[in-house]
Amino acid sequence: MGNRLGGGGFGPPRGRRRAAASPEGGAAGPADDASSEAAAALDDPEAAARDICLRALTGTAKTRRQLEELLARKEIPDDAAAAVLDRFGEVGLIDDAAFARAWVDSRQASRGLSRRALKSELRAKGVDCEDADQALALVGDQDEWDAARRLVARRVSGLRRVDRETAHRRLLGMLARKGYGSGLAGIVVREALDAEWEADEPSAADTDQGLDAFLP
């Protein structure tokens, strides 16, 4: 009987593979990893799909569509991918509705994006209309106005060196890239520029005091 601790008939546990060594004797490189994944996908596609999805979900949530696309790139058969993704959905590892809520909360707070821009991003990530609309309902009209005003307030002081028309155009462009419509953007920009330019203009009292120096 072979030596259980040595080189007898006991290899690695079935379904798992030893790390492949590079020709130089070091750790496996990207090409070796890709080859191992391809081999695993042929031997046990569902196990390979589970491993790929678990790695992808480490540290960050993903939508079902994102994981579908990842598995397709890894050449996992469609039926194996669907089985694993269905199971992940059942146990809560994939939750597009929760993903959409977290995405909207984070992007609206950190980037000041409008609901229109947020909906476009969710659509690109494969979130369906119902889940997207429920998440976007968390952003009210006042939230959009406040976010737009914060965005403009951060930029307007840096435009003091240009004329008002140029500042107006640049601020409108910035809000448009964030998904804001022209109506809301025009009002917010006009408010900010009025306040900024008025702050630079001398008041009537200041003007009178300046004239007093030339009067007898």
Side-chain angles (χ1 to χ4, degrees):
M1 184 169 67
N3 185 345
R4 292 176 181 269
L5 297 178
F10 294 86
R14 190 172 182 180
R16 299 180 62 185
R17 297 175 176 274
R18 295 182 185 275
S22 68
E24 291 78 14
D32 299 313
D33 292 340
S35 178
S36 297
E37 283 184 348
L42 290 174
D43 289 347
D44 190 342
E46 288 194 19
R50 284 194 298 272
D51 289 344
I52 292 167
C53 288
L54 287 172
R55 287 198 298 272
L57 290 167
T58 300
T60 180
K62 297 283 192 303
T63 65
R64 182 181 176 111
R65 168 82 65 78
Q66 288 176 303
L67 292 173
E68 283 177 345
E69 293 172 349
L70 174 61
L71 293 177
R73 290 196 299 272
K74 299 293 186 179
E75 300 183 352
I76 300 296
D78 291 345
D79 56 345
V84 170
L85 294 174
D86 287 345
R87 179 57 179 159
F88 274 39
E90 291 170 2
V91 300
L93 289 173
I94 302 174
D95 187 339
D96 283 3
F99 175 94
R101 291 191 298 271
W103 184 268
V104 166
D105 183 63
S106 172
R107 298 285 284 176
Q108 209 272 335
S110 64
R111 300 289 302 279
L113 298 181
S114 71
R115 284 172 292 196
R116 183 170 62 181
L118 291 166
K119 187 168 187 175
S120 178
E121 289 188 341
L122 291 174
R123 188 184 306 117
K125 293 185 177 298
V127 177
D128 66 33
C129 289
E130 183 178 355
D131 287 338
D133 288 343
Q134 289 179 357
L136 292 168
L138 301 174
V139 181
D141 292 341
Q142 190 61 50
D143 295 321
E144 285 202 325
W145 282 90
D146 291 344
R149 288 188 172 108
R150 286 194 297 270
L151 288 168
V152 171
R154 289 200 292 264
R155 289 287 304 277
V156 69
S157 60
L159 296 172
R160 295 168 68 98
R161 64 185 181 277
V162 302
D163 61 88
R164 178 170 176 141
E165 182 179 352
T166 300
H168 186 269
R169 185 175 64 253
R170 290 181 182 177
L171 291 171
L172 285 180
M174 181 266 293
L175 289 179
R177 290 190 294 274
K178 300 288 186 178
Y180 290 96
S182 58
L184 181 153
I187 293 171
V188 170
V189 169
R190 184 167 61 251
E191 288 175 350
L193 293 179
D194 285 347
E196 192 72 19
W197 259 251
E198 285 175 6
D200 288 342
E201 295 174 358
S203 66
D206 292 337
T207 302
D208 291 342
Q209 291 175 3
L211 291 173
D212 287 346
F214 298 95
L215 296 176

